[in-house]
Each structure stands twice: as structure tokens, then as C-alpha cells.
């Protein structure tokens, strides 16, 4: 297994983590499929989303079964309006591709926000920086390494 930027950064910061690998032959990279593949409840598996306001980029880490509320995201980022970064621009700005985007180890440290639902978890899972690899880590330690705050980010369930 080759180390990703995310794992190298956790190693350097001496943050403990576990790696969970999954088979991606079926092409299913959406979060709930990943949770099933690694045998973890979707409430502790998080996806990393990148949004922008003008030339400013922001990173949002939310549960895989939830939807980002752009108004809450804008409020958290201190912006009037925020939009999702077009998928075609993701790798250019972050160094990561869709399905393998980790909040750790991007080309630059962007303002990062983690959904408040992670704050009380002992462990959470996020992408380790490539498709087929998740890292299980303490939410508090993850927040520390990316200078993130815990805020309400998701749409209310209907």
C-alpha cells in the first residue's frame, strides 16, 4: 500500500489512524456504497466537499447520507453565497479526484468545516486520498490538523 499525502501528514503529526480498503470494481464511489463496502454505519462515514465563493475555496466534511446546506455553509464560511466547485476543477485545486478527496493533504490548506454531528464521535471515517481507501481517525484530531471547526452544515431531513 502506497501512502497518500493525507496519510503522510497524519504520520508527521503523529495522529493515529486505521486504514480500511474497499473494492471499487463496480465503480460505486458514493458515500453510502463506501459505508456498506467497509462495513461501517453511514453516520460515521463522511464525505469531503469543496465549494467556492468567487476565488475563495472552502472544504466541508459531512456525513455520506446527508446533503450540504449551501446557506449554512456560506454562513460558516462568512460568505453571502457559496457554490459547489465544478468537478472538472477539483483536481486542479485540491490534488484529489472525485471519490478520493480527503480533507487532509490538499495542495493548500483551505478553510475547513466539519459537520457538528462528528464532534461527539470517538472515530470517523474520511477518504484517505484515493478511491478504495478510507482512514478512521478521531474527529478532534482531524479538526486539529486541518484547523477546522464543528458547525451545522447539513439540510434537515424531510
Amino acid at each position: 500500500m502506497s501512502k497518500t499525502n493525507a496519510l503522510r501528514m497524519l504520520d508527521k503529526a503523529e495522529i493515529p489512524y486505521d486504514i480500511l480498503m474497499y473494492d471499487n470494481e463496480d465503480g460505486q464511489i458514493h458515500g453510502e456504497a463506501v459505508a456498506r463496502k467497509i462495513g461501517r454505519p453511514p453516520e460515521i462515514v463522511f464525505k469531503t466537499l469543496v465549494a467556492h465563493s468567487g476565488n475563495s475555496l472552502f472544504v466541508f466534511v459531512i456525513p455520506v447520507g446527508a446533503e450540504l446546506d449551501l446557506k449554512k455553509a456560506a454562513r460558516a464560511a462568512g460568505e453571502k453565497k457559496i457554490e459547489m466547485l465544478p468537478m472538472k476543477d477539483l483536481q486542479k485545486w485540491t490534488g484529489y479526484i472525485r471519490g478520493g478527496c480527503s480533507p487532509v493533504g490538499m495542495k493548500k490548506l483551505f478553510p475547513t468545516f466539519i459537520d457538528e454531528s462528528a464532534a461527539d464521535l470517538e472515530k470517523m471515517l474520511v477518504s484517505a486520498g484515493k478511491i478504495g481507501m478510507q482512514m478512521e481517525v478521531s474527529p478532534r484530531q482531524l479538526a486539529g490538523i486541518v484547523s477546522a471547526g464543528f458547525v451545522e452544515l447539513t439540510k434537515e431531513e424531510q
Side-chain angles (χ1 to χ4, degrees), residues 17 31 69 118 130:
Y17 60 86
D69 184 317
K130 73 179 192 182

Side-chain angles (χ1 to χ4, degrees), residues 31-33 35-36 39-47 62-66 125:
E32 290 181 328
R36 276 193 307 278
R40 293 294 201 276
E43 299 79 34
I44 68 165
V45 181
F46 286 68
K47 57 189 172 186
I62 66 170
V64 296
L125 286 114

Side-chain angles (χ1 to χ4, degrees), residues 17-97:
Y17 60 86
D18 288 315
I19 295 296
L20 285 85
M21 305 292 289
Y22 64 91
D23 177 10
N24 191 50
E25 287 183 20
D26 61 5
Q28 298 272 321
I29 58 172
H30 64 86
E32 290 181 328
V34 170
R36 276 193 307 278
K37 290 177 182 186
I38 62 174
R40 293 294 201 276
E43 299 79 34
I44 68 165
V45 181
F46 286 68
K47 57 189 172 186
T48 304
L49 304 173
V50 182
H52 71 99
S53 178
N55 292 327
S56 299
L57 265 60
F58 303 94
V59 177
F60 300 96
V61 182
I62 66 170
V64 296
E67 189 177 342
L68 182 65
D69 184 317
L70 292 174
K71 288 183 179 175
K72 291 177 183 175
R75 226 179 356 262
E79 298 288 336
K80 283 186 179 179
K81 185 178 178 190
I82 207 163
E83 297 175 352
M84 294 304 298
L85 185 70
M87 208 52 64
K88 66 179 177 57
D89 295 335
L90 185 65
Q91 188 170 16
K92 175 176 89 174
W93 290 104
T94 68
Y96 290 127
I97 61 171

Side-chain angles (χ1 to χ4, degrees), residues 4-10 46-50 59-61 90 94-110 112 125-131 133-135 137 142 145-146:
T4 62
N5 283 346
L7 298 177
R8 282 191 288 276
M9 287 186 70
L10 292 181
F46 286 68
K47 57 189 172 186
T48 304
L49 304 173
V50 182
V59 177
F60 300 96
V61 182
L90 185 65
T94 68
Y96 290 127
I97 61 171
R98 179 178 181 267
C101 187
S102 178
V104 181
M106 290 187 182
K107 288 182 175 182
K108 181 180 169 196
L109 182 60
F110 299 108
T112 302
L125 286 114
V126 294
S127 174
K130 73 179 192 182
I131 295 173
M133 184 185 290
Q134 293 280 302
M135 57 188 191
V137 64
L142 176 67
I145 197 166
V146 294

